[in-house]
């Protein structure tokens, strides 16, 4: 029996239960890992709240990210040995391959031998944020030398990953945040410029920074009323990648900006990369190289023990922290 986090109903963090569960042997194409650390994501909060793309079948496991050591492998799996340190690229099914707990079975193709210099806590905080940001900025937007990119929700783990990836390819980062309270922290985390949208005119400030050209790329998980000023801040022929709906308010369609600047507005999901083997291989190569060189380094906001999994969720929901929340096992 292993201690596994499950939910038996939707609700607030109190529905997360640690239970003794018999975890089956891995399937032929799976790796079973002894989990040492878990990365906590807003996607899991949304799943728990019944606000996610995937629905639960109770009782349900949950969790996308983990790092640990190999326990055993399925019959068709090669290349992994018992005791090896590995981390998990989030799979496409949050429940079937849930990582919250002492043991997890995960698809072998999504298991990575991460650089040895990473701690288990850091390794558990890598793949969701870096694959999400890489897929949007590099794979789809073709961000490169001389580009300006606006990153909203900049203090999130994906936002911080976007800073580092943009710097790796020679782009300039314009981060947005509501107030100036986090300005220096975001600069220290890698943003070249920070615009406090509650205190400054976003469009005017971006045009000032870009000498009137606007930003070619926007990475936004918010939507809502901020959508129009973002498109007004873009360069002709630019692309906006929308990967969330944190606002909760209606998102207007900025018709005149789109027409006048020939803009591309694209809905983007992390799963686009994970479900494409070739793209995922490119992502792995880029990210591992960045981790090995030190250009990519996950930032951890706070760690909790597994027994405090409810507190970890509450912290993520109630704090606009800079960096990733991690649970140690």
């Amino acid at each position: 029996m292993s201690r596994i986090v499950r939910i038996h109903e939707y609700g607030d963090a109190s529905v997360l239960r640690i239970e003794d569960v018999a975890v089956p042997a891995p399937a032929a194409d799976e790796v079973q890992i002894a989990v040492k650390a878990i990365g906590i994501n807003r996607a899991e909060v949304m799943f728990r709240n019944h606000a996610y793309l995937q629905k639960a079948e109770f009782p349900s496991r949950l969790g996308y990210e983990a790092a640990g050591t190999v326990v055993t492998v399925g019959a068709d799996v090669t290349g992994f040995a018992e005791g090896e340190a590995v981390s998990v690229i989030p799979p496409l099914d949050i429940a079937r391959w849930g990582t919250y707990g002492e043991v997890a079975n995960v698809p072998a193709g999504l298991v990575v031998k991460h650089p040895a210099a990473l701690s288990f806590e850091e390794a558990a905080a890598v793949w969701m944020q870096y694959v999400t940001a890489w897929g949007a900025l590099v794979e789809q937007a073709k961000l490169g030398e001389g580009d300006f990119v606006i990153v909203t929700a900049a203090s999130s783990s994906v936002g911080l990953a976007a800073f580092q990836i943009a710097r790796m390819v020679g782009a300039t980062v314009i981060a947005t945040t509501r107030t100036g309270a986090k300005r220096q922290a975001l600069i220290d985390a890698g943003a070249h410029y920070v615009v406090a949208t509650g205190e400054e005119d976003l469009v005017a400030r971006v045009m000032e920074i870009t000498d009137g050209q606007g930003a070619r790329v926007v990475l936004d998980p918010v939507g809502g009323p901020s959508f129009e000023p973002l498109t007004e801040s873009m360069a002709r022929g630019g692309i906006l990648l929308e990967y969330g709906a944190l606002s909760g308010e209606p998102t207007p369609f900025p018709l005149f900006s789109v027409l006048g600047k020939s803009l591309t507005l694209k809905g983007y999901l992390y799963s686009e990369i994970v479900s494409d083997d070739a793209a995922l291989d490119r992502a792995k190569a880029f990210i591992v190289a960045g981790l090995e060189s030190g250009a990519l380094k996950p930032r951890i906001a706070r760690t909790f023990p597994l027994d405090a999994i409810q507190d970890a969720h509450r912290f993520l929901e109630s704090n606009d922290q800079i960096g990733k929340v991690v649970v140690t096992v």
Side-chain angles (χ1 to χ4, degrees):
M1 304 291 278
S2 301
R3 299 174 75 226
I4 303 297
V5 178
R6 299 196 298 182
I7 59 173
H8 292 254
E9 60 184 328
Y10 293 119
D12 62 22
S14 66
V15 303
L16 296 165
R17 302 184 193 175
I18 300 176
E19 301 174 325
D20 290 328
V21 176
V23 178
D29 60 349
E30 292 178 342
V31 173
Q32 185 174 96
I33 67 171
V35 176
K36 303 296 185 184
I38 304 161
I40 307 298
N41 297 284
R42 292 194 181 276
E44 292 132 34
V45 172
M46 294 172 68
F47 179 74
R48 190 203 75 213
N49 279 331
H50 198 197
Y52 198 53
L53 295 172
Q54 183 180 345
K55 306 305 179 187
E57 294 183 10
F58 302 116
S60 178
R61 291 195 67 163
L62 69 164
Y64 270 132
E65 291 185 280
T69 58
V70 175
V71 176
T72 186
V73 302
D76 296 339
V77 177
T78 59
F80 294 100
E82 181 181 347
E84 282 187 315
V86 294
S87 50
V88 179
I89 297 173
L92 297 176
D93 190 322
I94 190 175
R96 177 180 176 185
W97 293 294
T99 58
Y100 283 16
E102 294 177 332
V103 176
N105 293 329
V106 292
L110 300 179
V111 177
V112 180
K113 299 175 188 178
H114 53 260
L118 290 183
S119 66
F120 283 120
E121 291 81 4
E122 290 172 323
V126 165
W127 294 103
M128 177 67 88
Q129 64 199 44
Y130 287 120
V131 172
T132 299
W134 177 89
L137 297 182
V138 178
E139 181 76 358
Q140 300 200 2
K142 310 301 181 189
L143 189 73
E145 186 78 32
D147 279 333
F148 287 88
V149 55
I150 298 173
V151 178
T152 72
S155 60
S156 69
S157 58
V158 174
L160 300 184
F163 295 178
Q164 296 175 7
I165 287 172
R167 282 181 172 271
M168 277 185 70
V169 300
T172 299
V173 177
I174 303 171
T176 72
T177 184
R178 289 188 296 272
T179 74
K182 294 182 179 178
R183 186 184 303 275
Q184 190 57 51
L186 293 173
I187 292 292
D188 293 344
H192 294 89
Y193 301 93
V194 176
V195 180
T197 56
E199 302 166 3
E200 304 173 79
D201 183 300
L202 174 66
V203 180
R205 184 72 181 108
V206 170
M207 291 303 171
E208 178 185 3
I209 292 167
T210 62
D211 291 328
Q213 298 301 304
R216 189 180 71 79
V217 180
V218 175
L219 182 63
D220 178 55
V222 181
S226 64
F227 204 69
E228 284 195 284
L230 282 173
T231 57
E232 292 173 19
S233 303
M234 292 174 67
R236 182 172 300 278
I239 180 171
L240 183 153
L241 295 118
E242 190 68 30
Y243 70 102
L246 295 177
S247 169
E249 297 183 50
T251 300
F253 184 76
L255 178 61
F256 290 106
S257 290
V258 171
L259 287 175
K261 298 182 180 183
S262 300
L263 301 180
T264 297
L265 310 181
K266 185 185 183 303
Y268 165 70
L269 293 174
Y270 163 92
S271 59
E272 295 177 46
I273 306 303
V274 176
S275 59
D276 181 329
D277 290 344
L280 186 58
D281 284 344
R282 291 191 292 272
K284 288 179 187 177
F286 183 100
I287 293 165
V288 169
L291 292 169
E292 289 176 340
S293 72
L296 302 181
K297 185 172 179 59
R299 177 168 177 163
I300 298 173
R302 186 170 170 184
T303 60
F304 293 82
L306 181 63
D307 286 332
I309 186 68
Q310 294 181 359
D311 292 334
H313 268 235
R314 292 186 186 107
F315 178 81
L316 182 61
E317 289 180 283
S318 63
N319 289 268
D320 188 16
Q321 77 282 344
I322 297 180
K324 191 88 166 199
V325 177
V326 172
V327 167
T328 56
V329 181

